[in-house]
Amino acid sequence: MNTNRWLLVVILVLAAVLRLWQLGEYPIRLTNDEAAIGYNAYSILKTGKDEHGAVLPVIFKSFGDWKPGLYIYLTVPSVAVFGLSEFSVRLPSALLGVLTILLIYELAKELFDKKVAIFSAFSLAVLPWHIHFSRGAWEANLALTLLVAGTLFFFKSFKSKKNIILSALFFAFSLWAYQSAKLASLIVLIGLGIFYYKEILKLDRKNLIISAVLGILISLPIITSLFTGKTGRVEVMSVFSYTRPLEYIESTIFEQENITSQDPVYILFHTEALNLFRGVAGRYLNYISGDFLFFKGDWANPRHTSVDMGYLLFVSVVPLLLGLYVLFKSKVTKEIGFVLFLLALSQIPAALTRDSAHGVRSLGMILPVCIILGLGLARLYDFILKQKRIVGLTIISLTFAAYLYSMCLYLDAYFVQNKYSEPKDYFYGYKQVVERVFEREKDYKRIIFSQSYDQPYMFFLFYGVGHDARFAPEVFQGNTTFQESPSGDVGLITHLGGIEFMPTNWYEDRGEENTLFIGRQEDFPQSDIASGEFNVEYINYPDDKPAFVLLDRK
Amino acid sequence: MKFLNKNTLLILILALAAVLRFYKLDTYPALNADEAAISYNVYSLIQTGQDEHGNPWPIHFQSFNDYKPGGYFYIVLPFVWAFGLNEWSVRLPGAIFGVLTVLFVYLLVKELQKWQQFKILNYKFEIIASFLLAISPWHIHFSRGGWEVNAATFFIVVGVYFFLRAIRNNKYFALSAIFFVLSLYTYHAARIVTPLLGVVLLIIYRKDLFSSANRKLFLGSVILGAVLLVPLLTSFVGEASARASGVSIFSDRGYIDRIEEKRARHEDPFSVLNRILYNKPKELAIEFSKNYFEHFKGEFLFISGDDIERNKVPELGQLYLWQFPILIIALYAISKKSKGWGLVLAWLVISPIPAALTFQSPHALRAQSMIIPLTILSAYGLTVILKFLNENIRKRGILTTCYILLTTVLGWSFAHYLHQYYVHMAKTYPYSSQYGVKELVEYMNENVNNTEPIVVTTRYDQPYILFLFYTKFDPKQFQGHHILTARDKYGFSTVPAFNNYIFKSINYKDEDRDKFPGAILVGTDEEIPDAANVIKNIYGSNNYLYFQVVAN
């Protein structure tokens, strides 16, 4: 094997260690989506149906958020081998993460050369953004793998014609993986169409037609879902569902100017369309801000980032700027044009949703970003080669030290600091509280668990499957108490295996004997907790602040 | 365009710049406390040779104990002397500097092209640059008012311009040095920007500076500058530097707590690894970088602008949104052919440094000198587009359509800005400036007998200085007859009373009704209950209710 191969193997091993080490233990909590994915995979494995009893669905209803099912099916073998656990739910994503690095290597090799490829692969291997979403059952990570694979096999089809069919399959299946992937894949496809239309026209007609037909057939179930309301939370998340409240417009614009919405001044300067455009532009720019990339990450959803960390290593600022410079300076070839195109547009799908920043929906940005980092590092490498030996060695040592230092900071944030930042681990404690309920439940007539959109029932299913038969899929499927949400958003389960999930109606229920109440601390009045009338047990976060309280009358 | 010669265009642009900067300059926005402080201290100097607190001819003005750099005060001085104590005299110099900056950006860009050979034939790059500065929201905002920073930015531009000229005609070195020094006397942030810019100039033009022809005059000018700086240095030691370091990231304790918190999460908080990962230099470096990048955040530059209401226009960034693609195009073009761009790019890199060293970032005021490189880059981007259109589009109809589109986007943005500035700013941010005080003092002058105690709310910023300003109170009667409170947590002091005026927050029911019988109480709408004997409601120029005057 040549040096490049060896280097690639080392990078893949590094990537695997970063993604697989203590995968079951870190992150220290399972999210409700991870639990749902795991349980549905288990349900498919045992019964061929999902939790709601649907036979082999393409889109899983789950909490009413309609999860595209590909990741769940990929989890089935993992659950079959390792049993239902944190590790088995997360394993597919971690392996896909490692695979993506190999794919990026091949893709960057097709686009540029082996040097850029190896540096791109390295950049992806140590990219906090990618590590974070490879460690956990994040469907978007699967969509990213498919996106990169689809792009790669598109390029490979220039040399071997059958590959175009593979490419079409990958692109089509990315829709089965993640809702936001629709737009992300479309953008990549448009980019390929613009910059490589000549090559496409030269492709074998027959294969091209087969790919198109296959692609459309596979996407069809997802496309039809757009019209049957199974789009999950696309409407809830879309920026177009949010307009300024009328009171706001009245108090700011109408009152200040003494006009109505029919006034030309309003139409010229204050329309909803303008406001939307400004919002989308602002979010678009947020994704290329220092805060998002280096200092805060996804500030709107702390669960998507590590404490005080952005999505790139601090040291990456150098290869990023250098890579952009290379990209701008180079003659505009098809390849450069394509990367520039992705760079300009890959945050659009995320910018069209309501969050001011969102690390998951913008995951497609990883593709252009790690190629640019690769270009930057390759440029630095060329620069070092031109220097005198001693200068070159100094720069290499400094670069290495800077990477090591940034990486240590990131790992410390991920493995140590994250544990103590309570709001981030919002789901921490469910495993512990479920186990505690199983230990204590025989002493009570009623178990009342505070209802919430955390979907506590799912944690009972996930951790209860191994405990007793109440939580087995075949039992649950027939007895679900799922209640649709009136607004079409996610619904709730009210009863499960003798456990009631209901909003705490504390002042009516507090007198109930033989009842175990479980909830967040704020669900119960502090005066009652302290009154001595109740036995109080806490489930604590790692920083010893209470996550859950269990109460029953003495 | 050909039928107008270039000077006519420049004159039109300057006229436009002047209209945008002088129109309603005295009344909109209302005078703020800092402007009143500048005016009144100058007034006091003219009358008595001492500032409001009795310091003779200071270099830093004590004012609210924030020790304002004195440069702008002395520029305002002849205006107050000529036109009296009013809004015009404190704001005129700022607006004039604003217009002159437009002129000097024109000259500077022209000079740059002579030296750097990035001239793009026939596209009047310098005209576009001066035009973009003339309509720049960021520059107009701080040209309309007594903002020291705008004067400092002007001095820096002129200093750089004369420096470039001096390379061919070395008698200009002295002028360049004088203007650079002036910027240092005028604004804190310039004390970092100007020296760094000097270093950059030194590096870029090192060969020309030390040529046998230039060497003597250059070094002579450096010495001249150094000598002129001596009074500043002697004044800066002590209170003024204390104020400057008081707002710096070093004085904020937050980062030390963060270090301790993160270290404590490890088994051994003082392990070597822990010390390497979490320590003061590293946290400060991160803090600085974070602040620094805030100034390049899209949200700040193109969408919402500064966080501080006084520094911005509602729903607008510091730049127009269309400048984003234009700036990207400029950077793209520069990457292709970077020769000669060192100075402008370095200027852009340097400008946010002082603001990033303070804990309020981004900061449109402290980083205002960014507008010069940003405008030059925008102009270049626009020039590149025009050149591209003219050279590549052969069909006249399409070319015309492109021009119409461009003009529409620019024209609409400009109109939108003016609309937001003149119609919405004062109403969306009613507390961004001291609206209502002028109307209040006018009413009091006419209707209230001066001997009664007058108790005025401190709900709005530094009322005492605005009362001094609007009543043209005799400085002799003020100096030595007032006390300055200790600094509050933001580092500012105020004067709680002078003559028959008392400034305090009004607690009508429980305290002030009985404490000040027969006095005039002036409070906000919330402070004054309906039952009180309100003799007058005072509205600001934006028609919002600011004060209720109560005869107790």
Side-chain angles (χ1 to χ4, degrees):
Chain A
M1 281 204 287
N2 58 25
T3 335
N4 232 33
R5 289 275 145 181
W6 274 113
L7 275 172
L8 184 60
V9 170
V10 171
I11 288 170
L12 289 175
V13 169
L14 173 69
V17 170
L18 288 171
R19 281 155 185 78
L20 289 164
W21 187 73
Q22 296 219 326
L23 184 62
E25 287 75 32
Y26 292 94
I28 57 166
R29 45 88 194 112
L30 206 65
T31 69
N32 54 7
D33 284 330
E34 285 181 307
I37 287 168
Y39 187 78
N40 278 291
Y42 182 80
S43 178
I44 292 283
L45 178 71
K46 295 288 172 192
T47 67
K49 298 176 199 165
D50 77 346
E51 60 170 304
H52 296 282
V55 181
L56 295 177
V58 173
I59 304 180
F60 285 69
K61 188 175 180 181
S62 188
F63 308 132
D65 57 344
W66 298 104
K67 296 179 166 68
L70 191 58
Y71 190 87
I72 297 177
Y73 287 108
L74 285 182
T75 312
V76 172
S78 165
V79 169
V81 175
F82 298 102
L84 186 58
S85 70
E86 286 94 344
F87 176 78
S88 65
V89 174
R90 290 169 179 167
L91 184 64
S93 186
L95 294 177
L96 286 163
V98 180
L99 176 65
T100 312
I101 290 155
L102 186 63
L103 295 171
I104 278 285
Y105 173 82
E106 294 293 333
L107 177 61
K109 204 170 75 181
E110 292 290 336
L111 284 170
F112 299 100
D113 53 39
K114 281 187 182 173
K115 194 166 52 189
V116 176
I118 207 80
F119 283 121
S120 297
F122 168 73
S123 300
L124 185 59
V126 299
L127 187 71
W129 205 349
H130 194 242
I131 296 173
H132 193 95
F133 293 112
S134 295
R135 295 183 65 98
W138 298 96
E139 298 139 317
N141 191 44
L142 167 61
L144 177 70
T145 311
L146 292 168
L147 196 69
V148 178
T151 317
L152 171 65
F153 281 95
F154 172 82
F155 286 110
K156 286 213 179 271
S157 70
F158 301 162
K159 283 167 205 152
S160 164
K161 354 182 212 184
K162 288 263 155 54
N163 281 329
I164 192 72
I165 300 175
L166 273 176
S167 171
L169 286 179
F170 285 126
F171 275 117
F173 273 116
S174 76
L175 306 189
W176 286 45
Y178 184 56
Q179 293 283 10
S180 268
K182 283 181 215 133
L183 203 48
S185 300
L186 189 67
I187 285 169
V188 174
L189 282 173
I190 292 173
L192 292 173
I194 291 175
F195 292 97
Y196 294 95
Y197 67 95
K198 281 184 192 149
E199 284 79 357
I200 295 175
L201 292 178
K202 275 189 227 149
L203 286 172
D204 185 56
R205 288 282 151 82
K206 197 181 78 189
N207 285 325
L208 207 56
I209 290 167
I210 297 175
S211 323
V213 171
L214 265 178
I216 290 168
L217 277 180
I218 295 171
S219 339
L220 215 54
I222 308 288
I223 309 269
T224 49
S225 75
L226 278 173
F227 305 105
T228 54
K230 290 185 185 175
T231 48
R233 313 191 63 206
V234 168
E235 284 101 41
V236 181
M237 296 301 169
S238 159
V239 63
F240 301 107
S241 313
Y242 295 87
T243 53
R244 294 170 295 180
L246 189 62
E247 307 88 72
Y248 170 81
I249 300 179
E250 276 174 352
S251 72
T252 55
I253 301 158
F254 295 169
E255 220 166 82
Q256 288 182 9
E257 292 190 58
N258 204 7
I259 56 167
T260 67
S261 60
Q262 305 307 315
D263 199 282
V265 175
Y266 181 85
I267 294 163
L268 198 54
F269 296 131
H270 298 298
T271 52
E272 204 57 55
L274 177 66
N275 184 57
L276 262 178
F277 175 73
R278 192 172 154 259
V280 172
R283 277 186 286 273
Y284 174 93
L285 293 168
N286 280 345
Y287 288 100
I288 47 176
S289 66
D291 277 349
F292 184 76
L293 294 176
F294 293 105
F295 303 108
K296 291 184 187 157
D298 185 346
W299 59 79
N301 308 277
R303 212 192 302 152
H304 297 161
T305 351
S306 300
V307 186
D308 291 339
M309 283 285 147
Y311 279 130
L312 272 59
L313 294 175
F314 288 126
V315 63
S316 303
V317 68
V318 177
L320 186 71
L321 293 176
L322 211 56
L324 282 173
Y325 174 72
V326 172
L327 203 60
F328 277 10
K329 191 180 172 60
S330 312
K331 198 167 157 282
V332 188
T333 57
K334 291 188 290 265
E335 290 74 24
I336 296 278
F338 178 60
V339 176
L340 280 173
F341 179 87
L342 290 186
L343 177 70
L345 296 183
S346 56
Q347 59 268 48
I348 294 275
L352 290 175
T353 63
R354 65 178 178 181
D355 296 69
S356 66
H358 200 283
V360 190
R361 286 181 216 133
S362 55
L363 212 59
M365 282 175 73
I366 284 185
L367 178 52
V369 162
C370 69
I371 288 179
I372 289 165
L373 291 173
L375 283 168
L377 282 176
R379 176 65 175 230
L380 187 67
Y381 179 75
D382 288 343
F383 174 77
I384 291 170
L385 284 187
K386 277 188 224 142
Q387 306 303 311
K388 288 199 194 98
R389 197 178 160 76
I390 180 79
V391 181
L393 280 176
T394 316
I395 301 176
I396 290 175
S397 337
L398 283 176
T399 313
F400 185 75
Y403 263 97
L404 192 67
Y405 185 68
S406 304
M407 197 66 214
C408 284
L409 276 174
Y410 173 68
L411 291 178
D412 188 68
Y414 188 91
F415 287 104
V416 181
Q417 308 297 340
N418 266 4
K419 215 189 314 188
Y420 298 98
S421 116
E422 180 200 289
K424 290 185 185 183
D425 288 328
Y426 194 62
F427 293 106
Y428 181 87
Y430 270 108
K431 179 180 188 169
Q432 293 79 348
V433 83
V434 166
E435 280 163 5
R436 222 25 219 138
V437 170
F438 289 158
E439 282 165 30
R440 290 182 62 178
E441 64 181 337
K442 58 182 182 302
D443 302 332
Y444 301 92
K445 274 207 310 233
R446 290 178 74 189
I447 312 286
I448 298 179
F449 200 107
S450 239
Q451 181 65 294
S452 78
Y453 285 104
D454 281 6
Q455 307 286 359
Y457 85 95
M458 186 40 82
F459 293 95
F460 279 90
L461 288 176
F462 187 92
Y463 292 110
V465 161
H467 186 263
D468 63 71
R470 281 179 295 167
F471 307 105
E474 49 273 33
V475 178
F476 178 68
Q477 281 164 16
N479 297 306
T480 178
T481 53
F482 185 82
Q483 296 197 324
E484 304 282 349
S485 144
S487 64
D489 204 350
V490 291
L492 292 164
I493 292 270
T494 57
H495 291 82
L496 169 66
I499 299 154
E500 297 166 51
F501 297 97
M502 48 196 266
T504 24
N505 197 351
W506 180 248
Y507 289 103
E508 261 172 45
D509 295 338
R510 66 189 287 276
E512 296 257 336
E513 309 244 325
N514 290 323
T515 304
L516 181 63
F517 297 94
I518 306 124
R520 301 282 183 186
Q521 198 175 24
E522 57 272 19
D523 293 334
F524 311 104
Q526 194 55 40
S527 55
D528 274 335
I529 294 180
S531 67
E533 292 175 52
F534 297 91
N535 298 308
V536 182
E537 185 186 344
Y538 289 106
I539 305 284
N540 286 343
Y541 289 115
D543 62 359
D544 291 334
K545 293 203 180 87
F548 288 100
V549 191
L550 292 83
L551 285 182
D552 66 299
R553 194 160 267 284
K554 271 182 185 164
Chain B
M1 262 195 236
K2 279 177 190 160
F3 62 90
L4 287 171
N5 76 42
K6 65 182 176 187
N7 283 331
T8 322
L9 258 182
L10 177 64
I11 290 164
L12 284 175
I13 288 170
L14 291 176
L16 173 67
V19 170
L20 291 170
R21 284 155 182 77
F22 289 108
Y23 175 67
K24 285 194 175 179
L25 179 64
D26 59 329
T27 53
Y28 194 78
L31 201 77
N32 67 46
D34 288 325
E35 292 174 299
I38 294 171
S39 277
Y40 189 76
N41 276 289
V42 167
Y43 183 67
S44 176
L45 274 184
I46 294 171
Q47 304 272 323
T48 69
Q50 293 170 336
D51 76 354
E52 58 172 306
H53 303 301
N55 308 306
W57 301 102
I59 289 170
H60 288 93
F61 284 75
Q62 189 179 358
S63 187
F64 315 128
N65 257 339
D66 54 349
Y67 289 86
K68 299 178 165 78
Y72 192 72
F73 288 69
Y74 290 100
I75 291 158
V76 169
L77 196 141
F79 287 84
V80 172
W81 182 76
F83 304 113
L85 184 62
N86 56 45
E87 288 96 341
W88 276 111
S89 57
V90 65
R91 288 182 165 182
L92 260 183
I96 293 170
F97 281 142
V99 177
L100 287 178
T101 311
V102 174
L103 172 65
F104 273 89
V105 162
Y106 171 86
L107 295 171
L108 173 68
V109 173
K110 218 172 157 185
E111 197 63 31
L112 266 176
Q113 291 179 82
K114 281 183 194 151
W115 278 97
Q116 305 294 346
Q117 288 98 38
F118 55 47
K119 185 168 181 133
I120 303 175
L121 289 169
N122 297 329
Y123 288 95
K124 306 279 185 296
F125 179 22
E126 62 276 11
I127 278 289
I128 296 178
S130 57
F131 172 69
L132 291 186
L133 190 67
I135 63 165
S136 156
W138 200 347
H139 194 251
I140 293 172
H141 202 90
F142 295 119
S143 293
R144 294 179 59 90
W147 298 98
E148 297 124 315
V149 66
N150 196 53
T153 301
F154 169 73
F155 292 139
I156 293 173
V157 172
V158 179
V160 173
Y161 168 68
F162 282 126
F163 183 92
L164 293 180
R165 293 221 50 183
I167 291 168
R168 277 188 307 174
N169 184 348
N170 51 26
K171 67 179 182 214
Y172 285 107
F173 276 125
L175 264 179
S176 172
I178 290 170
F179 276 101
F180 280 140
V181 168
L182 276 175
S183 76
L184 302 182
Y185 273 96
T186 309
Y187 195 61
H188 282 301
R191 293 167 188 179
I192 293 171
V193 173
T194 304
L196 288 175
L197 212 50
V199 172
V200 169
L201 288 170
L202 194 69
I203 294 171
I204 296 180
Y205 298 98
R206 57 189 179 279
K207 279 183 198 146
D208 304 300
L209 296 178
F210 295 105
S211 70
S212 53
N214 288 341
R215 198 185 305 156
K216 262 191 209 159
L217 274 170
F218 170 66
L219 290 175
S221 306
V222 172
I223 294 167
L224 170 70
V227 171
L228 290 175
L229 275 179
V230 172
L232 180 67
L233 288 175
T234 51
S235 159
F236 191 65
V237 184
E239 286 287 355
S241 63
R243 155 73 185 166
S245 64
V247 297
S248 79
I249 48 175
F250 308 102
S251 69
D252 185 22
R253 258 199 63 88
Y255 76 101
I256 296 175
D257 298 339
R258 220 160 38 238
I259 293 171
E260 282 169 5
E261 186 188 38
K262 287 186 176 173
R263 281 190 181 180
R265 289 167 177 170
H266 289 263
E267 272 171 36
D268 175 7
F270 298 101
S271 69
V272 178
L273 182 67
N274 229 345
R275 282 165 191 266
I276 293 173
L277 289 183
Y278 303 109
N279 53 66
K280 285 186 198 175
K282 177 248 163 185
E283 286 312 316
L284 281 173
I286 296 286
E287 195 65 30
F288 171 79
S289 318
K290 190 153 102 186
N291 288 347
Y292 183 82
F293 280 105
E294 290 279 351
H295 292 89
F296 294 100
K297 202 174 172 180
E299 183 77 18
F300 170 70
L301 289 179
F302 307 107
I303 305 292
S304 306
D306 202 343
D307 290 336
I308 301 164
E309 293 184 347
R310 184 177 284 184
N311 298 348
K312 69 169 175 184
V313 180
E315 297 187 14
L316 277 170
Q318 296 301 327
L319 310 175
Y320 295 108
L321 183 53
W322 53 260
Q323 281 180 280
F324 172 66
I326 301 256
L327 281 167
I328 296 288
I329 288 169
L331 291 176
Y332 185 82
I334 291 170
S335 304
K336 299 269 182 221
K337 204 176 151 202
S338 58
K339 190 169 167 7
W341 279 100
L343 176 60
V344 176
L345 291 178
W347 199 334
L348 182 61
V349 170
I350 290 169
S351 303
I353 290 177
L357 286 169
T358 66
F359 52 70
Q360 213 165 20
S361 278
H363 203 294
L365 189 61
R366 292 182 188 137
Q368 196 226 11
S369 58
M370 281 176 84
I371 191 61
I372 303 300
L374 283 173
T375 299
I376 296 176
L377 288 172
S378 301
Y380 186 60
L382 208 52
T383 317
V384 169
I385 292 176
L386 292 181
K387 184 176 146 81
F388 177 84
L389 290 180
N390 281 343
E391 286 175 3
N392 290 284
I393 296 180
R394 293 272 168 264
K395 288 211 176 108
R396 227 184 149 68
I398 301 178
L399 192 63
T400 317
T401 316
C402 289
Y403 273 115
I404 291 175
L405 259 170
L406 261 178
T407 317
T408 312
V409 171
L410 263 66
W412 178 85
S413 306
F414 181 53
H416 181 225
Y417 160 67
L418 290 179
H419 177 79
Q420 291 296 112
Y421 187 90
Y422 282 103
V423 179
H424 292 288
M425 186 175 72
K427 291 182 175 174
T428 307
Y429 305 134
Y431 306 116
S432 60
S433 220
Q434 272 62 55
Y435 293 97
V437 181
K438 180 178 189 167
E439 289 78 3
L440 175 65
V441 176
E442 272 170 8
Y443 171 80
M444 307 285 256
N445 278 347
E446 283 166 25
N447 300 292
V448 176
N449 181 347
N450 256 344
T451 54
E452 301 154 10
I454 298 172
V455 186
V456 180
T457 178
T458 47
R459 171 73 215 296
Y460 313 122
D461 207 13
Q462 304 283 3
Y464 90 91
I465 195 74
L466 288 142
F467 273 79
L468 288 174
F469 177 90
Y470 284 119
T471 58
K472 298 190 170 58
F473 192 76
D474 182 3
K476 276 200 209 78
Q477 299 297 312
F478 185 71
Q479 291 164 11
H481 296 91
H482 67 272
I483 47 163
L484 194 59
T485 60
R487 285 196 173 101
D488 65 12
K489 60 180 170 177
Y490 305 106
F492 292 104
S493 301
T494 188
V495 173
F498 74 89
N499 202 21
N500 57 335
Y501 289 101
I502 299 163
F503 303 97
K504 66 188 286 294
S505 70
I506 306 279
N507 183 351
Y508 184 79
K509 257 195 191 130
D510 302 333
E511 195 184 325
D512 299 321
R513 181 176 49 189
D514 306 324
K515 197 169 158 191
F516 299 104
I520 298 290
L521 297 180
V522 181
T524 65
D525 192 19
E526 297 96 60
E527 286 171 330
I528 304 295
D530 293 341
N533 176 27
V534 176
I535 53 171
K536 178 77 182 171
N537 286 327
I538 303 287
Y539 294 88
S541 53
N542 53 4
N543 295 328
Y544 281 25
L545 176 61
Y546 283 90
F547 299 103
Q548 295 194 301
V549 183
V550 175
N552 206 7

